[in-house]
Amino acid sequence: MPEQSTVYDRLRAQILDLERMPGARLTERGLETDLGASRTPLRAALMRLEADGLVERDGRAWQITPIDLGEIARLSELRDAVESAAVRHSCARAADDAIASLTSRLGEFDLQRPSDDAMRAGTRFHVELASLSGNHFFADSVDAAMTRLARTRWLEVRTEDARRTAWEEHRDILTLLAARDADAAADSIHRHIISTHERLMAALDADTRSLRARGLAIVR
């Protein structure tokens, strides 16, 4: 189990960081060499990544799952429904000190940190915000959606201006949560998810040619 988890974590990080590009072909023998892994834990790790939607079978081999624009849109719809409902419950259930703690950590984030850090911080924010609802199924759903979106979200937070926009939208959501204004908080998170999706699609449209030149597979 420890080796399986290590192999899974390393390969997952490489996929999410686009070190291994969407659409790239994988072979078990090549991965054994690259990762210094034995066959059984490697196969187990690949099956876990398949369940995550990050790899898929390609005949006898595997490939990194291509970026699917339709899936991105459907995941945004899922996030909108789940996170809007979760924040309503959070307004009723979250402890004041838990809201204050999340607000404090948001305020400590350095907007000049790399895009990868911003992406991970954004994921943590949304998962923790959903967890304030007191229903872990909300948080689990958000975490799963953000994992599947992670490979493309870095495009949306590459610039400091983009990171600042997301940070300001997060701050506004927390302000409304602290005020226990469920309707306004739900509307704020709805607008945030919609605008994030629009910025992401604009980034993909602008960079499609250069991304494909790097070998990135995009499905429309």
Side-chain angles (χ1 to χ4, degrees):
M1 181 62 74
E3 183 181 357
Q4 175 190 326
S5 297
T6 299
V7 173
Y8 168 80
D9 290 339
R10 288 179 61 193
L11 191 50
R12 181 176 181 273
Q14 291 173 358
I15 293 169
L16 294 181
D17 291 342
L18 296 183
E19 183 179 336
R20 295 183 185 271
M21 297 292 283
R25 186 176 171 83
L26 303 172
T27 65
E28 291 183 8
R29 180 169 296 179
L31 290 172
E32 286 174 22
T33 301
D34 291 348
L35 302 174
S38 53
R39 182 66 57 88
T40 299
L42 176 60
R43 286 181 173 172
L46 285 168
M47 287 189 285
R48 286 182 65 188
L49 291 166
E50 183 180 29
D52 291 341
L54 296 177
V55 303
E56 59 189 26
R57 294 182 186 275
D58 180 20
R60 294 185 177 180
W62 299 78
Q63 73 167 350
I64 309 297
T65 305
I67 289 175
D68 184 333
L69 299 185
E71 178 180 89
I72 292 172
R74 290 188 291 273
L75 286 168
S76 292
E77 290 177 355
L78 173 69
R79 287 187 59 206
D80 189 10
V82 171
E83 295 191 53
S84 295
V87 80
R88 288 181 178 277
H89 288 293
S90 296
C91 283
R93 299 172 179 170
D96 290 340
D97 58 351
I99 298 173
S101 176
L102 185 54
T103 302
S104 175
R105 278 175 281 140
L106 178 68
E108 293 170 356
F109 183 76
D110 182 357
L111 294 172
Q112 295 183 345
R113 289 170 64 183
S115 298
D116 286 349
D117 287 350
M119 183 191 71
R120 293 187 183 96
T123 296
R124 286 194 300 272
F125 172 83
H126 282 278
V127 173
E128 291 182 27
L129 182 66
S131 72
L132 293 180
S133 69
N135 185 334
H136 74 86
F137 291 109
F138 281 132
D140 292 345
S141 295
V142 173
D143 191 24
M146 298 296 266
T147 294
R148 295 184 77 104
L149 288 167
R151 295 178 301 164
T152 49
R153 286 183 55 243
W154 69 274
L155 291 169
E156 194 265 321
V157 295
R158 284 179 301 170
T159 68
E160 185 174 338
D161 284 344
R163 292 192 288 274
R164 185 177 303 280
T165 296
W167 182 88
E168 290 173 348
E169 291 174 356
H170 289 172
R171 180 196 59 194
D172 292 344
I173 293 165
L174 285 178
T175 298
L176 294 168
L177 174 60
R180 309 292 177 168
D181 190 334
D183 288 340
D187 181 64
S188 183
I189 204 163
H190 163 73
R191 288 185 283 104
H192 169 61
I193 290 170
I194 294 301
S195 63
T196 297
H197 178 70
E198 290 173 348
R199 291 193 296 268
L200 172 58
M201 297 308 294
L204 281 170
D205 285 342
D207 291 341
T208 294
R209 181 174 298 178
S210 63
L211 290 169
R212 282 186 169 148
R214 292 174 55 197
L216 183 141
I218 298 177
V219 177
R220 292 186 180 271

